[in-house]
Amino acid sequence: MLPNPPFSTTTGAALRLCLPIPPRAAASASSSSSRSHSFAAAGRVSLRRRRRRASFTDCRCSSSSSPEMEAGAGTALYPAHRCKTIYLVRHAQGIHNVEGEKDFAAYKSHALLDAQLTPLGWSQVDTLRDHVTKCGLAKKIELVIVSPLLRTLQTAVGVFGGGNYTDGVSAPPLMVEGAENSGRQPISSLNCPPFLAAEACREQLSVLTSDKRSSITRYRTLFPAIDFSLIENDEDVLWGPDIVEANESVAARGMNFFDWLWTREEKEIAVVTHCGFLYHTLNMYGKECHPAVAEELGKVFANCELRSMVLVDRSKLGLDTSTYNFAGKIPAGLDMPSDVAEKKQAEGASKN
């Protein structure tokens, strides 16, 4: 059994999340409410150590200031079996997004605890689902990892789930009918990838009640086919009314999460998560990249936005071998021009 993704600020082996694919044109992103947090000293130390381990450069993702790099020139090659494609999705619009725009203090309201999607949010889910279906992405994804909060769970099953559920089918639904008064039809777990909930990709911990999750017992009732086995505690023991997770600690947690992703066998993974988690994690990865790539990585995610990234193993964290590589020299022969080889073979035959 694979270990749980760590919920910590101690970073592991060096990976690089370096190149969105395909390259995206610069686009405006929605602004998010700022949260002021202090940097944790332990987080600073662990990330400095990580950057030292990852200090070598390549042509595409480097802090080099050479004229070629500043002009955006250069490419990089990595063995394909040392790469995974990760599809990052921020949840659709939640009720907390609407109320918080009106009054930031509303984020602390008990009414917004574990905020669910708005009707507009569900429309955003439907639109993204149409996109991933039409472009063929839905058939490529091997696993969906989702933060265990209501808005991310709803987004994940709505976008990547198996469509409308039919009564009498032996497989449990991903989401039951009308979950949390959503007015939505049940969603099937057939003809879609497996779903796995993980605390390590949840939103930045803060005093906001919208970031406190419900019990796993409740979630299992609403989302029967999602695997919650990685979550150790039924109630939310991580959130607290006076707990504020420092920005750099979120980034370190995110980098640990991506390290854990590399230990999984799946090569195409969707991650449905949150704005703050993505912003701080990707900006930390961007510190190792060319400024143009760093800017692209660091853009704030809009609600229900999807971006594809390449996760590269630069430290032999994974031991996978390529499915497509072929060793060559089968059958084996003399490594010389064909005319010389024929002469050598003839000489060998005459001696027999």
Side-chain angles (χ1 to χ4, degrees):
M1 179 180 294
L2 288 171
N4 288 4
F7 198 102
S8 69
T9 60
T10 304
T11 57
L15 295 177
R16 172 165 285 161
L17 192 69
C18 61
L19 181 62
I21 56 170
R24 297 167 55 90
S28 61
S30 63
S31 61
S32 62
S33 300
S34 61
R35 302 176 185 177
S36 176
H37 300 295
S38 62
F39 285 154
R44 287 198 298 268
V45 171
S46 64
L47 286 167
R48 282 199 298 269
R49 289 173 179 166
R50 182 189 183 104
R51 286 198 287 269
R52 284 198 294 271
R53 288 198 298 271
S55 61
F56 79 88
T57 60
D58 60 45
C59 295
R60 190 59 183 263
C61 290
S62 167
S63 57
S64 169
S65 58
S66 67
E68 292 82 1
M69 288 301 301
E70 291 179 357
T75 57
L77 283 176
Y78 290 96
H81 65 278
R82 295 202 175 277
C83 302
K84 293 180 187 284
T85 305
I86 310 298
Y87 303 96
L88 301 176
V89 179
R90 181 191 174 189
H91 64 79
Q93 185 192 69
I95 58 174
H96 66 304
N97 296 133
V98 176
E99 297 304 319
E101 284 294 323
K102 299 175 184 176
D103 179 10
F104 186 80
Y107 278 117
K108 298 183 180 180
S109 169
H110 185 75
L112 297 182
L113 191 149
D114 197 10
Q116 62 177 304
L117 298 186
T118 65
L120 176 60
W122 278 111
S123 295
Q124 293 170 347
V125 166
D126 293 337
T127 302
L128 180 54
R129 179 181 179 83
D130 288 343
H131 169 73
V132 300
T133 301
K134 290 177 181 177
C135 73
L137 178 57
K139 294 185 179 298
K140 295 177 62 178
I141 292 174
E142 302 168 61
L143 175 69
V144 178
I145 296 179
V146 55
S147 162
L149 275 85
L150 185 56
R151 57 191 180 272
T152 42
L153 294 167
Q154 290 175 322
T155 301
V157 299
V159 172
F160 300 110
N164 291 338
Y165 178 79
T166 303
D167 288 337
V169 176
S170 58
L174 276 171
M175 188 179 81
V176 299
E177 182 174 3
E180 288 301 293
N181 300 313
S182 64
R184 304 287 292 194
Q185 294 296 312
I187 298 175
S188 173
S189 61
L190 299 177
N191 302 313
C192 65
F195 286 68
L196 180 64
E199 296 262 36
C201 64
R202 65 182 289 174
E203 182 59 299
Q204 181 174 19
L205 297 174
S206 71
V207 299
L208 308 184
T209 55
S210 57
D211 296 333
K212 176 178 170 59
R213 70 165 172 82
S214 301
S215 70
I216 300 303
T217 298
R218 178 187 178 209
Y219 287 151
R220 285 193 169 116
T221 301
L222 300 175
F223 306 96
I226 293 182
D227 183 355
F228 292 97
S229 62
L230 293 183
I231 300 177
E232 298 177 354
N233 298 286
D234 187 52
E235 297 295 335
D236 190 354
V237 300
L238 297 173
W239 186 90
D242 56 352
I243 294 176
V244 177
E245 188 178 14
N247 296 340
E248 193 161 278
S249 296
V250 180
R253 168 161 65 89
M255 296 175 90
N256 268 337
F257 171 74
F258 283 110
D259 283 355
W260 172 77
L261 281 187
W262 187 260
T263 68
R264 299 198 58 89
E265 63 182 2
E266 299 88 359
K267 292 293 187 181
E268 307 250 356
I269 302 173
V271 178
V272 183
T273 180
H274 305 265
C275 180
F277 174 82
L278 290 168
Y279 179 79
H280 296 301
T281 302
L282 297 185
N283 271 279
M284 189 57 69
Y285 273 110
K287 293 181 183 297
E288 300 175 358
C289 294
H290 181 278
V293 179
E295 181 181 1
E296 187 173 352
L297 282 173
K299 289 183 181 295
V300 175
F301 273 66
N303 285 125
C304 219
E305 181 179 356
L306 179 151
R307 298 182 201 169
S308 52
M309 305 280 174
V310 175
L311 183 64
V312 180
D313 174 19
R314 305 173 304 159
S315 59
K316 294 188 177 181
L317 179 64
L319 299 176
D320 289 352
T321 57
S322 172
T323 303
Y324 302 110
N325 287 2
F326 186 74
K329 293 190 70 174
I330 301 174
L334 296 173
D335 287 331
M336 56 186 67
S338 58
D339 55 342
V340 178
E342 290 173 358
K343 181 179 179 181
K344 289 286 187 182
Q345 289 171 348
E347 290 175 353
S350 65
K351 294 178 181 179
N352 293 333

